[in-house]
Amino acid sequence: MRDLYSNIGVAAAIVPAVKSSAADGITVDTKGFSSVAFVVNTGAIVSDGDFGVAVFESDESSANFGAADAAVVDSNAPATLVASSTYKVGYSGHKRYVRLQLTKAGGTSIACGAVAVLSDAQKRPVS
């Protein structure tokens, strides 16, 4: 199939909400896909909120997550996220499980959410 809809999977990565602290995102299982990218969407930032995102990876679904090496992460997100913006964060490593981490260096809060887009499915169409 040549349509995008039938060839990608999507998963929640950070539930959209106003965030006031650093937090781990939702673990994404990449089994059955060869690539994954995250789409991060921000809203309002309160009191000079200084938040960023980082990619973490693991071979296990719920343990031993570590920061992904910079060589396997591509991103147009700045170190400090900007209000009302959209960013993409790609992961090209080989770990089965990945997740975003919302980091906080200061300020009060940020409205933020993210989804994972999984592509290059081994079985198509993707349900």
Side-chain angles (χ1 to χ4, degrees), residues 23-108:
D24 292 333
I26 299 166
T27 299
V28 176
D29 186 351
T30 65
K31 184 178 181 179
F33 296 90
S34 297
S35 58
V36 62
F38 297 94
V39 178
V40 179
N41 193 26
T42 63
I45 295 176
V46 176
S47 298
D48 296 323
D50 187 354
F51 290 84
V53 290
V55 178
F56 279 66
E57 62 185 2
S58 177
D59 287 321
E60 302 171 34
S61 64
S62 61
N64 300 319
F65 274 84
D69 188 270
V72 298
V73 176
D74 291 313
S75 177
N76 67 348
T80 298
L81 301 175
V82 177
S84 303
S85 298
T86 302
Y87 305 103
K88 58 184 179 177
V89 180
Y91 171 76
S92 59
H94 298 286
K95 302 284 186 177
R96 178 172 170 182
Y97 300 96
V98 293
R99 69 181 180 205
L100 287 179
Q101 183 181 72
L102 184 65
T103 62
K104 180 182 179 182
T108 301

